[in-house]
Amino acid sequence: MYRFLLSSRWLAVSVLALLAVAFCAFMGSWQLSRFQVRVDEHRSAKHDQAATETRPPVALSGVLPTARAQVPDGDSGRQVSATGTYDGGRQLLVPDRTLDGRDGFYVLTPLRVSGGAALPVVRGWLPGDASAASRAGSIPAAPTGQVTVTGALQYPETTDPSGATASGALPSGQLGVISAASLVNLLPYPVYSGWITATHPAAPLKAVPPAAPPNSGLDLKAFQNLGYTGQWFVFAGFVVFMVFRFARREAEARADAALGLVPQPAAADEEAEPAAPTPA
């Protein structure tokens, strides 16, 4: 019934189908390997971050020797110790920050260190609305005198969760993005590019966990690789299905023709002997 598969036409179709299936399987396996690489990189980044956070505190000058120095790669989350004096008069609130599923805000106070520059310190988090808390005067004042603060070093933020792109879009005394670029017009002295979250804030402030380093999570590209993997294997299955369908259709047509249910295929007509001419 399927002897026609040995014909030159069907052998050519079979070869092309096998090549197509092999190509789709190769591309699907390659996309899957790319997804696995991204997963391994994510796991490695999480492991490195955890190791960084457990290292003993280092002096601020050990990672940021000057205010213009950039946070070194791999030092996000590292425990840093800084000694200076809080500038409580220029304390800022960072609204629309979530902690443990609750809405609230950060309390950020510049810490003036030796040399005159300031290190932005998030002293902690409070629940509620920043503007209402500011009007009520319920924000804890910063400690006076010289203090030593230990906290997790953070990269400058580049986006504002609240949707504000500049401090001018927020009420006075509030900040949308924690970075030297956003603080340069608010503070009359140099500001470090990095900032820290205090490890042991005073009550009622709650400690802010360090943020994950940028590009350390499973991004959209990783899931695109996984999606492409599925697509290529679906293509391979589609090729097999279509070859099987066409072969079965032709087998059924030939069986019907053999039973006289349908006319013989054109190829059979061409091979048949010519009929004798009809006498005039």
Side-chain angles (χ1 to χ4, degrees):
M1 184 176 179
Y2 287 93
R3 291 182 61 187
F4 64 88
L5 294 177
L6 299 177
S7 65
S8 58
R9 179 169 65 91
W10 273 100
L11 287 175
V13 170
S14 299
V15 170
L16 291 176
L18 288 174
L19 291 175
V21 169
F23 177 75
C24 291
F26 169 77
M27 292 301 298
S29 299
W30 180 76
Q31 290 289 349
L32 184 60
S33 68
R34 292 301 305 159
F35 173 74
Q36 188 60 50
V37 167
R38 295 183 187 278
V39 170
D40 292 341
E41 290 176 348
H42 171 64
R43 290 175 178 171
S44 178
K46 294 289 288 184
H47 178 271
D48 293 343
Q49 181 184 5
T52 297
E53 294 173 2
T54 57
R55 293 162 64 183
V58 63
L60 176 65
S61 59
V63 288
L64 297 176
T66 66
R68 294 185 178 183
Q70 300 299 312
V71 178
D73 292 340
D75 276 343
S76 175
R78 186 172 186 180
Q79 293 293 309
V80 172
S81 177
T83 300
T85 305
Y86 278 123
D87 187 355
R90 292 186 173 87
Q91 182 165 270
L92 297 166
L93 305 182
V94 187
D96 301 317
R97 300 301 174 113
T98 303
L99 183 65
D100 297 332
R102 301 174 62 191
D103 294 330
F105 56 92
Y106 294 167
V107 178
L108 183 149
T109 310
L111 180 71
R112 300 291 302 276
V113 298
S114 60
L119 174 68
V121 177
V122 171
R123 295 196 295 119
W125 175 91
L126 289 174
D129 180 72
S131 298
S134 181
R135 289 192 298 269
S138 59
I139 311 299
T144 59
Q146 190 175 70
V147 296
T148 298
V149 183
T150 300
L153 183 64
Q154 301 287 280
Y155 288 115
E157 293 184 334
T158 56
T159 58
D160 178 8
S162 67
T165 57
S167 59
L170 293 170
S172 176
Q174 295 187 22
L175 182 70
V177 179
I178 307 177
S179 69
S182 62
L183 288 166
V184 66
N185 294 323
L186 301 177
L187 302 177
Y189 34 72
V191 182
Y192 280 86
S193 63
W195 54 285
I196 67 173
T197 63
T199 305
H200 303 292
L205 295 170
K206 293 187 176 182
V208 175
N215 302 320
S216 62
L218 287 177
D219 56 10
L220 181 60
K221 290 183 178 180
F223 293 101
Q224 284 179 339
N225 291 135
L226 190 60
Y228 292 150
T229 298
Q231 287 181 1
W232 281 113
F233 284 110
V234 168
F235 291 157
F238 180 74
V239 170
V240 174
F241 169 75
M242 291 305 296
V243 171
F244 172 78
R245 181 178 180 183
F246 288 141
R248 183 169 182 176
R249 178 180 296 179
E250 183 164 339
E252 291 174 347
R254 288 175 178 270
D256 291 343
L259 295 174
L261 300 178
V262 295
Q264 292 287 340
D269 292 339
E270 293 173 359
E271 295 175 358
E273 296 181 0
T278 304

